[in-house]
Structure formats: structure tokens, C-alpha cells
Amino acid sequence: MSSAELPCYTIINVPSDFETPNEMQIKMDLEKGDVKVKTEALKKIIYMILNGEKIQGLLMTIIRFVLPSQDHMIKKMLLIFWEIVPKTHPDGKLLQEMILVCDAYRKDLQHPNEFIRGSTLRFLCKLKEAELLEPLMPTIRSCLEHRHSYVRRNAVMAIFTIYKNFDFLIPDAPELIANFLDGEQDMSCKRNAFMMLIHADQERALSFLSGCMDQVQHFGDILQLVIVELIYRVCHQNPTERSRFIRCIYNLLNSNSPAVRYEAAGTLVTLSSAPTAVKAAVGAYIDLIVKESDNNVKLIVLDRLIAMKEVPSHEKVLQESVMDILRVLSSPDLEVRRKTLNIAMELVTSRNIKEMVLILKKEIAKTTGVVEQEDTGKYRQLLVRTLHSTCIKFPDVATDVIPLLMEFLSDTNELAAMDVLIFAREAMTRFDNLRPLIVEKLLESFSMIRSVKIHRATLWILGEYCIRVEDMQALMSEIRQSLGELPIVDDEMKKAAGEESMEDESVAAMGGGGGVQKLVTADGTYATQSAFSASSTASTKKAGDRPPLRKYLMEGDFFIGAALGSTMTKLALRYCGLVADTRKQNRFTGESMLVITSVMHLGVSGLPEKRITKDDLDRLNLCLKVLSDKSDLMIQVFSTECRDALGQMLEAQAQVEPVGGKGDRKPAAIQPDAPINFLQLTKLDSLMGAGDMLDISLSKALGTGRVSASDFASSKLNKVTQLTGFSDPVYAEAYVNVNQYDIVLDVLIVNQTKDTLQNCTLELATLGDLKLVEKPQPIVLAPNDFANIKANVKVASTENGIIFGNIVYDVKGAGGDRNVVVLNDIHIDIMDYIVPAACTEAEFRSMWAEFEWENKVSVNTSLTNLADYLATLLKNTNMKCLTPDKALSGECGFMAANLYAKSIFGEDALANVSLEKNHSKPDSPVTGHIRIRAKSQGMALSLGDKINQSQKSRLKKPTVAQG
């Protein structure tokens, strides 16, 4: 047999500094050395055999001087030695010396020490020579009756392996093991015996199971798992047996072992679609998720529930179990909670929506009373979004949910508060009956908001939807209260000069803190109501405290000033349309103009930390102009067109968002009656798999067929990298197989010389976030011989990785240094780790602001169409375009799009594409740039390199075609 055909069971790491020892010295060590010396000598011999050395002269020495030793370490080493040493002559006949070895095996099988007996039995499972096993069969059978379970367990496995490989040596093995199983008490022995019967004689295994069906739940978990495997196999082969064994699976759902419960639940769902069976399996899954502490287990089982949901008959049962699924929210892991809320949201119905809302309310209450942790804010945001979805899906529960959600406006977590406002905006647009309630709650919460973004969004919503006179007056009162005394500049100057009396200070402080309420009376004048006495407030409030809106303006944030100006303009225009009294109209408009001019005056006064921007100043000027002129066009723009724009935006979002929902299921790519096409690598575009496959293969070999680029890209050949030149003494090429976190390099090494190459070693090193798992073992290459060496590389992140190295070898009989052939670098393609992903616009903006690494890539292409360039970019980067098709349609010479992708390591990659084209020159190429942002530097740089590389390859293609 050649070295390639020899079976390999044990892998031993050969030290890098290992040198081939002197045969005479080894002989002396084996004959005259002590136990330690003999052990070391035996190790060296094992390394020599692994390196391809012949040691026939040492075989008898080992039998004479090492085999009789009783040392456990030597006995273990000998088992490895006898496993790998050649046991036959080149013609296939057994070596004479092996008769002596066989006798030593027999003695070890009768050894009083159970460890030696058991390890010898394990070793016999690896023997492939029937002549060696035949004399040992009576001793192996006798081991089934040994007092120790370790020996009996391994005896069963030895009999199983021998029966599988050479059934003529022990033809009665199934009967022997069946009798052994009936009298055995140890679970590990029973498990091995039962497993053998499953594979060797299924009928006997079934008869044993039938006899002990009631005791199954008291068996050990290792035996229960094998029983589940047998039932699954039998019921698939013979469906009529289901009724016989399904009760056993039901019993195993109550096993003490989580692994058994998981397997039993999966088997039960596969065997039966009855509602009771599905309900029992779902209950077992939920129980596993709740009780298991490992997050990976929780996520795996949740995925099983999600898969079950896709089956219509199972979905109905799952809908009834929504409340049980929500028990999983007790887990502290955010990803587990996210998956749980998603599946619950998809399963909830009108019958159990109210109970689900109650549970979500309790969860929200739990997040508000605890110390703020890293994921608490994100979990709260998740709960808010889920409640948002429930209100949109089931408007009946909105009245219960809205008051709870409005409490979040004063939350320190801006994410949850912003989600509440997004919900409020959508609810007001879709449900007219909810508007008064939402407006009332927003007005109540207005004074408690502490974030400028939340205040700004609240102002916009209230300015758009305050349509009753009393609501407008209440909002005006809240705004005046949040701004403090007007004009702002004069008030700030007085405070700075210290001219304000103590009493005035206390009143101002109360106004800012919410103690004083300024209300607009029926005739438009203001009345001040004090909840607390001035003296008590003065003692508790600092004189320097500013009301919220004034505080933002003094910090230089005048964007909220512009938003305030728009809100006041909308209020004044709507107020004038509702109230007929001219004096009241003028008074309200005048108050609005006073607020706007106060903000403008403050902006240019130099008192705030930053000066007002030109844009905000222009916006406020426009608002003043609109209020003074009140033209019909401007009234229409401010009163109706803003709201229409919001409606159009929400409608466009609704068309984009159902990704992953039921409505998004793609039509079948292949029809059920379509013929199956094999040999994909030989498929040609011109024939599409039709015709004689021999002709197709022949035309491809001759180069007459037109092979599509996509088929070639999916071929293994595209992943082969040439490592050395054809004229090098050793030729090498590698096939790079990427499998998630692992890269397997299958390297073909060819000896192109007439010499035998000894210690031929593939030495590899990595650059980037790659790690070589183990060093490839040295091999011996005969003249013009070849060998395949596999090397495993672990990947830790999405980064451009490089694998480089060389091949070193010795030439037999030649002196001097070792020979070295340097290899070409292998570049790992990051596209194997990047997958398209989706996220909301808010999440994209948040990540864009948060990520610190940016890579700007200039567009360099010969393409003349903007959409074609974007499509090519998406294909080359595996990114998903978040910008809807409607926004990208049409031709205007410009295009902007947001792209998003995720790596299998959980890293996010964002990209913003800005393209333009000169319309006056139709043949001009697309220009622009792509900005990539990522949390890690490697991800940003790698994606940029990939885009540059793909652009270069596209530019080269026309040149090749012309040549």
C-alpha cells in the first residue's frame, strides 16, 4: 500500500526542531536503557515512522526489549506504535513478527489492570488486519463479562467495529450484544450496546426498546439520546411505526437532560403535526430557553421556534403560546430579547394582544427602576418599538399604550424618547381619533423634556397637529414658560448685571422650573398662577437656573430656534383661521412675532456660546415675513403641504419596510416540474444545461462554448492560487476554501525533480487577523511524486488577510543547507465574510455619527450610467442599498444612496455613495466618491481596497477585449 492509502487515526505533533536520530543509538536505548530512556526512544521511532522512515530492523528489538514492559506510559506509546507501523510485506502478506505482537495483545486483554484491558480494546477498533484479530476473538468476548464497566464498554465497541469490518470473525455479534444488553446495568455500556444494535440489527434494538418502554425516562441521558435517534430513524423508514413509539418520545420530553428534551422535541415535531404534539414540543422548547443559562442555547432554540412558525399548521399552535414565549424576556441578553420580541410580534393576534401589552408594560417598569446598564437603554428602545408596532397593527390598544409611551419623553435615553415621537407622528397621521389624546399627553410632558432633539421633534408635531384653540393657547403657554421672560436679551443682561431683585429672581426661577403657569385667557391676555410661594421656591432653586428652551439657545443651538419659529408661524396662521376676532388674531400673531424676534436678537447679540447660523437666521426672517404678509400661498405651504409631505414619507417607508415579512416571500425560482440540472460547472449560457452533457463538456474543453462568468466564478478553479513557478523544483498551488470562521488551504505540492525530497515542509505565516491553527507536518516526496497538504487558518475579524510562506526540503544524499522555495502571497477575499443587511434610517444615522473610521474612495469607472454603477458596486461589495428604488429612479445627473452590510463577526459597515454625471455629454463616465464608515479600521480599509480593486479590474477589461 502507498502512504496515501494508509489509514490515519491519531495525529501527533512533530516538534519543529526534531532531527532524525541515529538507528544504532536508538537500538542501544531500547536494549539497555531504563523506562524513561525507552519511552523517549519509542517517541523518536514514532516520529520517524510519521516522517516516512523505514524501521524494519528495529521491529524485533522493540518486541524483545520493550513489549514485555509493564510500565503504563510505555504500553500507551506501544499502542500508538502498533497502530502506525506497517504490518505487512509489500506483497500484502502479514509480517512474521506480528504473531508475537498478537500474543502480546492477548496477554494485555487478560491483564488484571482494567485500564490496560480497556485501552487495548480501544486500540483493536483501529486494526484493519483480520489475521491479527482472529486469534483474539475468544479473549475479546470474555471481556464482556469483566467486572469493570470501562472494560465492558470498550469490549462492546471493539465487537461492533470488528463486526462492521469483518463480520465473518464474529457472525453472532448482534445476538451476543442483545443478550449482553438484557443483563447490563451500567448506562454507558447499555448505550454502546444499543447503538451497535441500531446499526447492526435494528429489529433486535426495537424489540429491546419495546420491552423497556416504560423505563425509558429513568435511563441515563446518553442512552436516551440514542433511543431518540433510533425512533427518528425507524419512523422515517416505516411511518406505520409512529403510533408505537410516539408515546416514548412524549415521555422523553420530561427527561432531566436538556439535550434529550431538545432532540425529543425536534423528533416529535418531525413525526407528528398534531396540535397536541406541536404544543408539547413548543412547551419543551420554551422551557429550555427559560431554564438554560447559555445564551447560545437560547438563540439556537429560538431559531427552531422561528423555523416552526413558517409551517402553517404549527403557526396556529405557536400563536396560542405567545404568552409563554414572552417568558424568555427574563433573559438579560439583548439579542435573545430582540428575537423573542420579533417572534412574539409576528405571532400575536387580537385575542392575546391585550395580555401582551400588559407584559410589555411590566417589562418597561422593570427598566425604569433599575440602575442604568449598558443594554438597559437599548432594551427600553426595543420595548418602545414593539409597543409602537402593536399600536399600528392593533389600533384598539393604542389608548392604553399612549400614556405609557409619553412618559418616555422625559427619559434620559434619547433613543427611546425619539422612538416614542416617531410613533406619535405616525399615529397622528393614520388615526384621527387618537390625535386629541396624543396632543394632550405631549403638552403634559413638554416641560419635563430635557433633550434638545426631543424638544425639537415635539415642537414640530404639536405645531402640526394642535388644531383646537385651547390646545394652541396651552402650547403658547408652554413655549413662553420654557423660554422665560421676554425679550431674552434684556432679561439676560439684567441677570448678568445683578439688577434683578430677589423676588423677581424667585419668580423667574419658578417659571423655568414649572412652578409658575402662564395661561392665555379668553381675551388673549396672560394670567400667572403660582403653585408654590415665592419664598419657598427661592430657597430651593438656584437663581442662575434657566428654562429648557432658553438653555439650548444660550448654548448656541439655534436649530431649535428655527424649529420654534416654524411652529409659532403655523400656530398663528391656524389661530387666525379659527378665531374671527381681529384683536385676538393680532395679539396671538404679535406674541408669536415677539418670540421669533427675541430668538433672532439673542442669536446676533453675542451672549450665547455660539452665534446663530445664516440658515437659521434666514428661516426666522422668513417666518416673520409670512406672519406679516399672510399670503394665501404661504398659508397653504405652512398649513397643508408640510403634513402632506409627512404622509408621503410614511407611505414610502411602509412600502420599503415589509422586508422579511410574510408579504415579502419571493416567488419560487424553480418550478416543481422543471428538470434538475447537474454538473453545474459545465453549464453554458448558450445551452442552459440542455443537450448531451458529453458534447457540452467537449465544447468547453476545446474552448468553443461560451462559459458564463458567473458559472466560472462559482467554480473551484476560481479559488485556486498558484504559489510557485512551473520551473521551480517544487510546484505548489492552493485551493482556498472559506467556511465562516475557518479557512482551509488545500495545497498541492509536486516534486518536479528526480530526487527524493525529505522533510518537505510547508511553512506558513499570516498577516492580519488570521491565526494558523496547526503547523503542517513534514512529508517525504518521491521523484515526480505529489502530495496534498491541508492547513487550517482561523479568522477573527473582517480584514484583508495575507498568508505567505515557503516550502523547505532536504535532498537525500546531498550535503549542505536545506533548500527553500518562496511562495506567492495568498490574499483572503473579505467578501466571503460580508453579507447584506438592513437597518432603519435612524439606526444608520446613529451609527454614521458613532463610527470613527472613515475611508473615502473616488469613483474611477468607464460606466456611463449611474444606476449601472450602483448595481455593480452592490454586487462587488455584498452591501445592501437602504435607499428605496423610488428615490433612485429617474435621471437628473445626480445620485446619492446609503449602503449597509454586516460581517459574520457582527461588524457593521456603512457606505454613502455620491455620484454625478454630465448630462450634456452622454458618453462621459460616472464621477463622484464613496465614503465608508466602520467601527474598526480594518473593515473600513478592506472595503475601500475591495472597491478600488474591482474598479481597476473593470477598467482593464476593455483593453483586453481590444487586444
Side-chain angles (χ1 to χ4, degrees), residues 386-428:
T386 309
L387 284 170
H388 173 179
S389 304
T390 55
C391 290
I392 300 302
K393 200 173 176 183
F394 305 97
D396 297 345
V397 298
T399 48
D400 295 334
V401 172
I402 286 166
L404 176 72
L405 288 180
M406 291 304 165
E407 292 175 15
F408 281 95
L409 291 176
S410 58
D411 196 33
T412 51
N413 178 19
E414 209 172 76
L415 297 171
M418 190 52 80
D419 275 346
V420 171
L421 288 175
I422 290 168
F423 157 67
R425 188 181 68 183
E426 189 172 349
M428 282 195 172

Short mmCIF file of all heavy atoms in Angstrom, two decimals, residues 386-428:
data_model
loop_
_atom_site.label_atom_id
_atom_site.label_comp_id
_atom_site.label_asym_id
_atom_site.label_seq_id
_atom_site.Cartn_x
_atom_site.Cartn_y
_atom_site.Cartn_z
N THR A 386 -41.63 47.84 19.95
CA THR A 386 -42.61 46.76 19.90
C THR A 386 -44.00 47.29 20.20
O THR A 386 -44.98 46.94 19.52
CB THR A 386 -42.23 45.65 20.91
OG1 THR A 386 -40.86 45.28 20.71
CG2 THR A 386 -43.11 44.43 20.74
N LEU A 387 -44.11 48.16 21.22
CA LEU A 387 -45.41 48.77 21.53
C LEU A 387 -45.89 49.63 20.36
O LEU A 387 -47.08 49.68 20.06
CB LEU A 387 -45.29 49.62 22.80
CG LEU A 387 -45.23 48.82 24.11
CD1 LEU A 387 -44.87 49.72 25.27
CD2 LEU A 387 -46.56 48.12 24.38
N HIS A 388 -44.97 50.33 19.72
CA HIS A 388 -45.30 51.12 18.53
C HIS A 388 -45.94 50.21 17.48
O HIS A 388 -47.01 50.51 16.93
CB HIS A 388 -44.00 51.75 18.01
CG HIS A 388 -44.13 52.47 16.70
ND1 HIS A 388 -43.07 53.10 16.10
CD2 HIS A 388 -45.17 52.66 15.85
CE1 HIS A 388 -43.46 53.63 14.96
NE2 HIS A 388 -44.73 53.37 14.79
N SER A 389 -45.27 49.07 17.21
CA SER A 389 -45.78 48.13 16.19
C SER A 389 -47.14 47.58 16.58
O SER A 389 -48.02 47.43 15.73
CB SER A 389 -44.80 46.97 16.00
OG SER A 389 -43.53 47.46 15.66
N THR A 390 -47.34 47.28 17.89
CA THR A 390 -48.64 46.74 18.32
C THR A 390 -49.75 47.75 18.10
O THR A 390 -50.85 47.40 17.69
CB THR A 390 -48.60 46.34 19.81
OG1 THR A 390 -48.19 47.46 20.58
CG2 THR A 390 -47.69 45.19 20.06
N CYS A 391 -49.45 49.04 18.37
CA CYS A 391 -50.48 50.08 18.18
C CYS A 391 -50.85 50.25 16.72
O CYS A 391 -52.01 50.46 16.38
CB CYS A 391 -49.99 51.42 18.73
SG CYS A 391 -49.88 51.44 20.51
N ILE A 392 -49.84 50.16 15.84
CA ILE A 392 -50.12 50.31 14.41
C ILE A 392 -50.89 49.08 13.90
O ILE A 392 -51.81 49.20 13.09
CB ILE A 392 -48.80 50.48 13.62
CG1 ILE A 392 -48.04 51.73 14.10
CG2 ILE A 392 -49.05 50.55 12.12
CD1 ILE A 392 -48.79 53.03 13.99
N LYS A 393 -50.52 47.90 14.42
CA LYS A 393 -51.15 46.66 13.98
C LYS A 393 -52.54 46.48 14.60
O LYS A 393 -53.47 46.00 13.96
CB LYS A 393 -50.25 45.48 14.38
CG LYS A 393 -50.49 44.20 13.61
CD LYS A 393 -49.41 43.18 13.98
CE LYS A 393 -49.65 41.84 13.32
NZ LYS A 393 -48.65 40.84 13.72
N PHE A 394 -52.67 46.87 15.89
CA PHE A 394 -53.95 46.75 16.60
C PHE A 394 -54.30 48.10 17.23
O PHE A 394 -53.96 48.36 18.40
CB PHE A 394 -53.86 45.68 17.70
CG PHE A 394 -53.41 44.33 17.21
CD1 PHE A 394 -52.09 43.95 17.32
CD2 PHE A 394 -54.31 43.45 16.62
CE1 PHE A 394 -51.66 42.71 16.86
CE2 PHE A 394 -53.89 42.21 16.16
CZ PHE A 394 -52.56 41.84 16.29
N PRO A 395 -54.97 48.99 16.48
CA PRO A 395 -55.24 50.35 16.99
C PRO A 395 -56.08 50.37 18.27
O PRO A 395 -56.07 51.36 19.00
CB PRO A 395 -56.00 51.02 15.83
CG PRO A 395 -55.65 50.21 14.62
CD PRO A 395 -55.42 48.82 15.10
N ASP A 396 -56.80 49.26 18.57
CA ASP A 396 -57.66 49.24 19.76
C ASP A 396 -56.87 49.41 21.06
O ASP A 396 -57.40 49.92 22.05
CB ASP A 396 -58.44 47.91 19.84
CG ASP A 396 -59.37 47.76 18.64
OD1 ASP A 396 -59.60 48.79 17.97
OD2 ASP A 396 -59.85 46.65 18.39
N VAL A 397 -55.61 48.97 21.07
CA VAL A 397 -54.85 49.03 22.33
C VAL A 397 -54.11 50.37 22.48
O VAL A 397 -53.44 50.59 23.47
CB VAL A 397 -53.83 47.87 22.42
CG1 VAL A 397 -54.53 46.54 22.42
CG2 VAL A 397 -52.80 47.95 21.31
N ALA A 398 -54.22 51.23 21.46
CA ALA A 398 -53.44 52.48 21.48
C ALA A 398 -53.76 53.34 22.70
O ALA A 398 -52.87 53.96 23.28
CB ALA A 398 -53.69 53.26 20.19
N THR A 399 -55.04 53.38 23.11
CA THR A 399 -55.41 54.24 24.25
C THR A 399 -54.73 53.80 25.54
O THR A 399 -54.46 54.62 26.42
CB THR A 399 -56.94 54.24 24.45
OG1 THR A 399 -57.39 52.88 24.42
CG2 THR A 399 -57.62 55.02 23.35
N ASP A 400 -54.43 52.50 25.65
CA ASP A 400 -53.72 52.01 26.84
C ASP A 400 -52.22 52.29 26.75
O ASP A 400 -51.56 52.52 27.76
CB ASP A 400 -53.92 50.49 26.99
CG ASP A 400 -55.37 50.13 27.27
OD1 ASP A 400 -56.07 51.00 27.82
OD2 ASP A 400 -55.78 49.02 26.91
N VAL A 401 -51.71 52.25 25.53
CA VAL A 401 -50.26 52.32 25.34
C VAL A 401 -49.74 53.76 25.32
O VAL A 401 -48.67 54.05 25.86
CB VAL A 401 -49.86 51.58 24.03
CG1 VAL A 401 -48.40 51.80 23.70
CG2 VAL A 401 -50.17 50.10 24.14
N ILE A 402 -50.51 54.66 24.71
CA ILE A 402 -50.02 56.04 24.51
C ILE A 402 -49.60 56.72 25.81
O ILE A 402 -48.50 57.28 25.89
CB ILE A 402 -51.06 56.87 23.72
CG1 ILE A 402 -51.05 56.43 22.26
CG2 ILE A 402 -50.74 58.37 23.80
CD1 ILE A 402 -52.21 56.91 21.45
N PRO A 403 -50.42 56.71 26.88
CA PRO A 403 -49.97 57.38 28.12
C PRO A 403 -48.65 56.83 28.65
O PRO A 403 -47.80 57.58 29.14
CB PRO A 403 -51.11 57.11 29.11
CG PRO A 403 -52.30 56.81 28.25
CD PRO A 403 -51.77 56.16 27.02
N LEU A 404 -48.48 55.50 28.52
CA LEU A 404 -47.24 54.88 28.99
C LEU A 404 -46.05 55.35 28.16
O LEU A 404 -44.99 55.70 28.69
CB LEU A 404 -47.38 53.36 28.90
CG LEU A 404 -46.13 52.55 29.26
CD1 LEU A 404 -45.88 52.60 30.75
CD2 LEU A 404 -46.27 51.11 28.80
N LEU A 405 -46.23 55.37 26.83
CA LEU A 405 -45.13 55.76 25.96
C LEU A 405 -44.72 57.22 26.17
O LEU A 405 -43.55 57.57 26.09
CB LEU A 405 -45.50 55.54 24.49
CG LEU A 405 -45.58 54.09 24.01
CD1 LEU A 405 -45.97 54.04 22.55
CD2 LEU A 405 -44.27 53.36 24.21
N MET A 406 -45.70 58.08 26.45
CA MET A 406 -45.40 59.50 26.60
C MET A 406 -44.50 59.78 27.81
O MET A 406 -43.81 60.80 27.86
CB MET A 406 -46.69 60.32 26.72
CG MET A 406 -47.50 60.36 25.43
SD MET A 406 -46.54 60.97 24.05
CE MET A 406 -47.54 60.47 22.68
N GLU A 407 -44.51 58.85 28.77
CA GLU A 407 -43.63 59.02 29.94
C GLU A 407 -42.16 58.97 29.55
O GLU A 407 -41.29 59.46 30.27
CB GLU A 407 -43.92 57.93 30.98
CG GLU A 407 -45.30 58.09 31.63
CD GLU A 407 -45.61 56.93 32.55
OE1 GLU A 407 -44.67 56.18 32.89
OE2 GLU A 407 -46.78 56.78 32.93
N PHE A 408 -41.89 58.37 28.40
CA PHE A 408 -40.50 58.23 27.96
C PHE A 408 -39.92 59.52 27.41
O PHE A 408 -38.72 59.60 27.17
CB PHE A 408 -40.39 57.15 26.88
CG PHE A 408 -40.39 55.76 27.44
CD1 PHE A 408 -41.56 55.04 27.53
CD2 PHE A 408 -39.23 55.19 27.90
CE1 PHE A 408 -41.57 53.77 28.06
CE2 PHE A 408 -39.21 53.92 28.43
CZ PHE A 408 -40.39 53.21 28.51
N LEU A 409 -40.76 60.51 27.16
CA LEU A 409 -40.24 61.75 26.58
C LEU A 409 -39.25 62.44 27.51
O LEU A 409 -38.34 63.13 27.08
CB LEU A 409 -41.39 62.70 26.24
CG LEU A 409 -42.28 62.23 25.08
CD1 LEU A 409 -43.43 63.18 24.88
CD2 LEU A 409 -41.48 62.11 23.79
N SER A 410 -39.44 62.25 28.82
CA SER A 410 -38.52 62.86 29.78
C SER A 410 -37.36 61.92 30.11
O SER A 410 -36.55 62.21 30.99
CB SER A 410 -39.27 63.21 31.07
OG SER A 410 -39.88 62.05 31.60
N ASP A 411 -37.29 60.78 29.39
CA ASP A 411 -36.25 59.78 29.66
C ASP A 411 -34.87 60.31 29.27
O ASP A 411 -34.73 61.05 28.29
CB ASP A 411 -36.56 58.51 28.86
CG ASP A 411 -35.79 57.32 29.36
OD1 ASP A 411 -35.55 57.25 30.57
OD2 ASP A 411 -35.41 56.47 28.54
N THR A 412 -33.88 59.94 30.05
CA THR A 412 -32.50 60.37 29.70
C THR A 412 -32.00 59.65 28.45
O THR A 412 -31.11 60.14 27.77
CB THR A 412 -31.54 60.07 30.87
OG1 THR A 412 -31.71 58.71 31.25
CG2 THR A 412 -31.82 60.98 32.04
N ASN A 413 -32.59 58.48 28.15
CA ASN A 413 -32.19 57.75 26.96
C ASN A 413 -32.89 58.36 25.74
O ASN A 413 -34.09 58.20 25.55
CB ASN A 413 -32.58 56.27 27.12
CG ASN A 413 -32.23 55.47 25.88
OD1 ASN A 413 -31.43 55.91 25.06
ND2 ASN A 413 -32.84 54.31 25.72
N GLU A 414 -32.12 59.04 24.94
CA GLU A 414 -32.68 59.76 23.78
C GLU A 414 -33.28 58.81 22.75
O GLU A 414 -34.23 59.14 22.06
CB GLU A 414 -31.56 60.57 23.13
CG GLU A 414 -32.02 61.82 22.45
CD GLU A 414 -30.84 62.67 22.01
OE1 GLU A 414 -30.21 62.31 21.01
OE2 GLU A 414 -30.55 63.66 22.68
N LEU A 415 -32.72 57.58 22.65
CA LEU A 415 -33.18 56.63 21.64
C LEU A 415 -34.65 56.27 21.86
O LEU A 415 -35.46 56.31 20.93
CB LEU A 415 -32.33 55.35 21.69
CG LEU A 415 -30.84 55.50 21.39
CD1 LEU A 415 -30.11 54.20 21.70
CD2 LEU A 415 -30.63 55.88 19.94
N ALA A 416 -35.00 55.91 23.10
CA ALA A 416 -36.38 55.52 23.40
C ALA A 416 -37.32 56.70 23.19
O ALA A 416 -38.40 56.57 22.63
CB ALA A 416 -36.47 55.00 24.83
N ALA A 417 -36.91 57.90 23.65
CA ALA A 417 -37.75 59.08 23.52
C ALA A 417 -38.01 59.41 22.05
O ALA A 417 -39.13 59.75 21.66
CB ALA A 417 -37.10 60.26 24.23
N MET A 418 -36.98 59.30 21.22
CA MET A 418 -37.15 59.59 19.80
C MET A 418 -38.08 58.58 19.14
O MET A 418 -38.89 58.94 18.28
CB MET A 418 -35.77 59.59 19.11
CG MET A 418 -35.81 60.11 17.68
SD MET A 418 -36.59 61.72 17.50
CE MET A 418 -35.27 62.80 18.02
N ASP A 419 -37.99 57.31 19.55
CA ASP A 419 -38.90 56.30 19.01
C ASP A 419 -40.34 56.60 19.38
O ASP A 419 -41.26 56.34 18.60
CB ASP A 419 -38.50 54.90 19.52
CG ASP A 419 -37.42 54.28 18.66
OD1 ASP A 419 -37.19 54.79 17.56
OD2 ASP A 419 -36.80 53.30 19.09
N VAL A 420 -40.55 57.11 20.59
CA VAL A 420 -41.91 57.49 21.02
C VAL A 420 -42.46 58.57 20.09
O VAL A 420 -43.62 58.52 19.67
CB VAL A 420 -41.90 57.98 22.49
CG1 VAL A 420 -43.25 58.58 22.84
CG2 VAL A 420 -41.59 56.84 23.43
N LEU A 421 -41.63 59.56 19.77
CA LEU A 421 -42.08 60.66 18.91
C LEU A 421 -42.34 60.18 17.48
O LEU A 421 -43.28 60.65 16.83
CB LEU A 421 -41.05 61.79 18.90
CG LEU A 421 -40.99 62.59 20.21
CD1 LEU A 421 -39.87 63.60 20.17
CD2 LEU A 421 -42.31 63.28 20.50
N ILE A 422 -41.52 59.25 17.00
CA ILE A 422 -41.75 58.68 15.67
C ILE A 422 -43.10 57.97 15.65
O ILE A 422 -43.88 58.08 14.70
CB ILE A 422 -40.61 57.71 15.28
CG1 ILE A 422 -39.32 58.52 15.02
CG2 ILE A 422 -40.97 56.88 14.06
CD1 ILE A 422 -38.08 57.66 14.91
N PHE A 423 -43.39 57.24 16.75
CA PHE A 423 -44.69 56.57 16.87
C PHE A 423 -45.82 57.59 16.91
O PHE A 423 -46.85 57.44 16.24
CB PHE A 423 -44.70 55.71 18.14
CG PHE A 423 -46.08 55.43 18.66
CD1 PHE A 423 -46.95 54.64 17.92
CD2 PHE A 423 -46.52 55.96 19.85
CE1 PHE A 423 -48.24 54.39 18.37
CE2 PHE A 423 -47.79 55.72 20.31
CZ PHE A 423 -48.66 54.92 19.57
N ALA A 424 -45.65 58.67 17.74
CA ALA A 424 -46.70 59.68 17.87
C ALA A 424 -46.99 60.32 16.51
O ALA A 424 -48.15 60.53 16.14
CB ALA A 424 -46.26 60.74 18.88
N ARG A 425 -45.94 60.60 15.77
CA ARG A 425 -46.11 61.22 14.45
C ARG A 425 -46.88 60.31 13.50
O ARG A 425 -47.80 60.75 12.80
CB ARG A 425 -44.71 61.51 13.89
CG ARG A 425 -44.68 62.32 12.62
CD ARG A 425 -43.24 62.49 12.17
NE ARG A 425 -42.67 61.21 11.73
CZ ARG A 425 -41.42 61.05 11.34
NH1 ARG A 425 -40.58 62.07 11.36
NH2 ARG A 425 -40.97 59.87 10.94
N GLU A 426 -46.55 59.01 13.52
CA GLU A 426 -47.22 58.07 12.63
C GLU A 426 -48.66 57.85 13.06
O GLU A 426 -49.58 57.78 12.23
CB GLU A 426 -46.46 56.74 12.64
CG GLU A 426 -46.95 55.77 11.60
CD GLU A 426 -46.08 54.53 11.48
OE1 GLU A 426 -44.97 54.51 12.06
OE2 GLU A 426 -46.50 53.59 10.79
N ALA A 427 -48.88 57.74 14.39
CA ALA A 427 -50.23 57.50 14.90
C ALA A 427 -51.15 58.67 14.57
O ALA A 427 -52.32 58.48 14.21
CB ALA A 427 -50.18 57.28 16.41
N MET A 428 -50.64 59.89 14.69
CA MET A 428 -51.46 61.08 14.38
C MET A 428 -51.83 61.10 12.89
O MET A 428 -52.91 61.56 12.53
CB MET A 428 -50.69 62.34 14.73
CG MET A 428 -50.71 62.64 16.22
SD MET A 428 -50.19 64.33 16.48
CE MET A 428 -50.53 64.55 18.20
#
